[in-house]
Amino acid sequence: MTFAEMVYALCRTIPAGKVTTYKALARALGISSSQAVGQALKRNPYAPLVPCHRVIKSDGSIGGFKGKIVGTEIEEKVRLLEREGITISQGMVDLVKFGWFEI
DNA sequence: GTTGTGACGGGTC
DNA sequence: CGACCCGCCACAA
């Protein structure tokens, strides 16, 4: 069980209609660096299995999915999140309402 | 074993 | 509010 595996396992537990942050996941794994979580998600071999689109930055912004925010590429993911009931304004998610962690 | 870098966070300037 | 710098952990070269 590698660090990345634990990240994937944790992401799978994210309920639909909720989002979490890199920091929250990192903290749940016992570390302080959210970058490590990003590394794992970025290289996730479980693309559709792990809902990486539900993992966002702590400030509510989407962050990135395939590398960086590239124009309308994000729009597709935003639409998917909205389908789960998550409201997004200008690429920002309301963590107070949809944050899957103790706010 | 060392170095560099990244889907990041927080604090300062 | 935006730009900059430092810290942070894991992984690839």
Side-chain angles (χ1 to χ4, degrees), chain A residues 19-34:
Chain A
V19 295
T20 189
T21 67
Y22 296 100
K23 183 175 171 93
L25 291 177
R27 205 173 112 177
L29 292 173
I31 61 178
S32 308
S33 178
S34 48

Side-chain angles (χ1 to χ4, degrees), chain A residues 6 39 41 51 71 92 102:
Chain A
M6 294 194 291
Q39 285 277 348
L41 262 60
M92 302 288 277
E102 311 300 326

Side-chain angles (χ1 to χ4, degrees), chain A residues 8 11-12 40-54 65-66 77 80:
Chain A
Y8 306 142
C11 287
R12 268 185 334 223
L41 262 60
K42 158 186 168 187
R43 299 189 171 274
N44 75 336
Y46 309 92
L49 183 64
V50 178
C52 39
H53 55 273
R54 287 183 198 152
F65 296 105
K66 300 176 117 186
K77 275 75 179 185
L80 186 63

